Amino acid sequence: GSHRHLPIRPPTSSYTEDPPEQTTMIRSSVASFSHLLPRAGSVMVLHNSPLAFAVTSPSFKPAQRSARLMSSDSKEQPKHPNVVHDMVHFKTSTNKHPLGIEKLSADKKVWDNPMQHSVWTQEEVNSVEKTHVEAKGVADYIAYNTVKFARWAFDTASFYKWGPVTTDKVLNRAIFLETVAGVPGMCAGMIRHLRSLRRMDRDHGWIHTLLEEAENERMHLLTFVKLKQPGPLFRSVVVLTQGVFMNFFFFAYLLHPKICHRFVGYLEEEAVKTYTDILHNIDHGTLGQWKADPAPQIAIDYWKMSQDATMRDLILAVRADEASHRDVNHTFASLKPNEVNPYIFEHVLSDSKPAAKPVHAERRGQTASSGDATPAAQ
């Protein structure tokens, strides 16, 4: 992160005379040693208090937090309510801060996922459409046909197409596929991370987007297992599948990243179709109970949904995520490995490489509105 050192200014209203000598020494010490704290983030000496400072991490959003600086002998009212901090260790330990800053939300046991992820509006989740990127070239055809075969094999082995669609069928399918869907982003992100280390060069924004995708798929899984806990046989199949798929994808990505991203893009196209069909069954078929069944609390916290959100709202959010992953991976498949990720908010380049454009809508069979990915990594 960037390290900003705000100038120490004299207080404007809290003091009517010069600060005591001890305060001056502390302020001087903070300014002198602030350069020794780069790993903690940015050091800010706030002008509204000679003692107040905050260490913020670029991975968090300090604007969403607040802290209170308390007097050493009085805890009745906060002296400096606008002091902002985001100190992870401090918030997860029982130790008191030497300046009296209190930990936040001590009485509210809610974990907020620190990874970037989309929080969708009602308009966005309802406007997701099925789209398809036409295969062009041998790599695209290999990826497309591999996905179509994998879907046929899984539908057949799981008996998904036989008989009515039930909640058990949907949950079994979602849980199993999410254990697979979380692998490509983590594997590709790890490989690009190691590549960046070996070359001692920038990655141009791919790593964070890929890791965010993996974490998002993992949160899908953690949400669905709140509704059903798989048995020993199911878990054994998951372990076997992960071992095979992880190794396959790892070596495939080393040899041909383009085909891997196209494969994931087509895989996510199928995911959008599946969740769209589930929504159809909720509205007009055998899953009508999900119109009223409440969504798990973990989903409400993760997607910032209303407390009365239903399972239908959950499926809408998951489908929007899959549509985002679909377009991101199709875009990555159209880029060279050293091109800039077009989904980042900003990317200052040392070599002034221009950002590539996302995959064009004309390559798709249909045009999606909210399916387009949201900028993700910094």
Side-chain angles (χ1 to χ4, degrees):
S2 59
H3 307 290
R4 297 180 298 155
H5 301 274
L6 274 64
I8 301 176
R9 303 176 184 176
T12 55
S13 58
S14 300
Y15 298 91
T16 57
E17 58 184 9
D18 292 338
E21 181 180 355
Q22 183 180 6
T23 300
T24 305
M25 292 174 62
I26 293 176
R27 292 170 56 193
S28 177
S29 299
V30 170
S32 301
F33 292 98
S34 61
H35 68 283
L36 299 178
L37 300 172
R39 295 191 179 189
S42 305
V43 177
M44 297 184 291
V45 182
L46 305 182
H47 69 272
N48 62 331
S49 169
L51 296 178
F53 73 95
V55 181
T56 62
S57 168
S59 302
F60 292 81
K61 298 179 180 179
Q64 298 176 353
R65 321 263 188 204
S66 63
R68 298 189 299 172
L69 182 63
M70 308 297 294
S71 163
S72 58
D73 25 61
S74 174
K75 291 191 176 181
E76 296 179 357
Q77 295 295 332
K79 285 183 62 178
H80 305 282
N82 56 340
V83 174
V84 179
H85 78 289
D86 201 354
M87 302 169 65
V88 182
H89 172 72
F90 172 63
K91 288 192 290 185
T92 56
S93 72
T94 57
N95 297 331
K96 293 184 178 180
H97 192 278
L99 296 181
I101 299 177
E102 292 188 335
K103 292 190 287 186
L104 305 179
S105 303
D107 57 335
K108 190 177 182 182
K109 307 297 183 183
V110 176
W111 177 75
D112 189 15
N113 194 310
M115 292 287 285
Q116 160 75 26
H117 65 278
S118 297
V119 176
W120 306 102
T121 66
Q122 197 66 30
E123 180 183 2
E124 287 173 328
V125 297
N126 286 320
S127 60
V128 173
E129 297 180 5
K130 300 177 184 179
T131 68
H132 175 60
V133 172
E134 295 295 334
K136 293 184 178 180
V138 176
D140 286 4
Y141 279 106
I142 292 175
Y144 178 71
N145 288 311
T146 302
V147 169
K148 298 302 287 186
F149 173 78
R151 168 140 199 172
W152 171 84
F154 183 73
D155 286 350
T156 303
S158 63
F159 302 103
Y160 187 74
K161 293 295 185 180
W162 297 2
V165 177
T166 64
T167 55
D168 271 351
K169 278 188 176 180
V170 170
L171 290 175
N172 285 338
R173 184 182 186 87
I175 290 170
F176 183 83
L177 292 180
E178 295 297 353
T179 66
V180 175
V183 171
M186 179 61 66
C187 184
M190 177 188 69
I191 290 174
R192 291 191 65 95
H193 173 77
L194 296 175
R195 175 178 178 267
S196 178
L197 296 179
R198 289 193 308 272
R199 298 191 175 191
M200 305 179 194
D201 195 9
R202 299 186 66 161
D203 178 69
H204 306 301
W206 291 49
I207 294 173
H208 288 171
T209 299
L210 292 168
L211 296 182
E212 287 154 11
E213 175 187 311
E215 173 64 8
N216 182 248
E217 300 287 11
R218 190 181 72 92
M219 290 303 297
H220 292 177
L221 172 64
L222 296 182
T223 297
F224 287 123
V225 295
K226 287 292 184 180
L227 302 168
K228 181 177 182 179
Q229 281 293 324
L233 179 60
F234 191 107
R235 292 174 183 271
S236 299
V237 174
V238 167
V239 171
L240 178 63
T241 304
Q242 185 184 91
V244 172
F245 183 64
M246 174 64 185
N247 284 282
F248 166 79
F249 195 87
F250 177 83
F251 289 108
Y253 199 89
L254 288 176
L255 297 174
H256 208 304
K258 172 185 170 65
I259 196 172
C260 291
H261 284 297
R262 191 67 76 195
F263 169 84
V264 177
Y266 287 135
L267 198 65
E268 299 293 6
E269 286 184 9
E270 297 299 321
V272 172
K273 292 178 184 178
T274 295
Y275 286 114
T276 300
D277 292 342
I278 292 172
L279 287 167
H280 178 78
N281 275 284
I282 292 174
D283 293 335
H284 309 290
T286 57
L287 302 176
Q289 67 191 76
W290 277 4
K291 287 182 181 179
D293 285 354
Q297 188 62 43
I298 187 175
I300 293 173
D301 294 337
Y302 181 69
W303 282 283
K304 312 299 182 187
M305 296 190 291
S306 63
Q307 288 298 318
D308 61 348
T310 65
M311 283 297 299
R312 188 181 188 279
D313 297 323
L314 168 61
I315 298 300
L316 283 170
V318 172
R319 185 182 66 162
D321 286 343
E322 305 295 9
S324 174
H325 303 327
R326 171 195 64 195
D327 293 336
V328 167
N329 278 278
H330 277 316
T331 298
F332 282 174
S334 302
L335 302 180
K336 296 178 181 178
N338 62 341
E339 286 190 90
V340 175
N341 174 7
Y343 294 106
I344 56 177
F345 288 120
E346 61 179 350
H347 203 82
V348 181
L349 302 173
S350 58
D351 50 3
S352 302
K353 289 184 180 179
K357 295 182 179 179
V359 63
H360 295 296
E362 58 263 24
R363 288 198 62 194
R364 309 173 189 170
Q366 297 177 340
T367 302
S369 301
S370 66
D372 292 340
T374 304
Q378 294 285 346

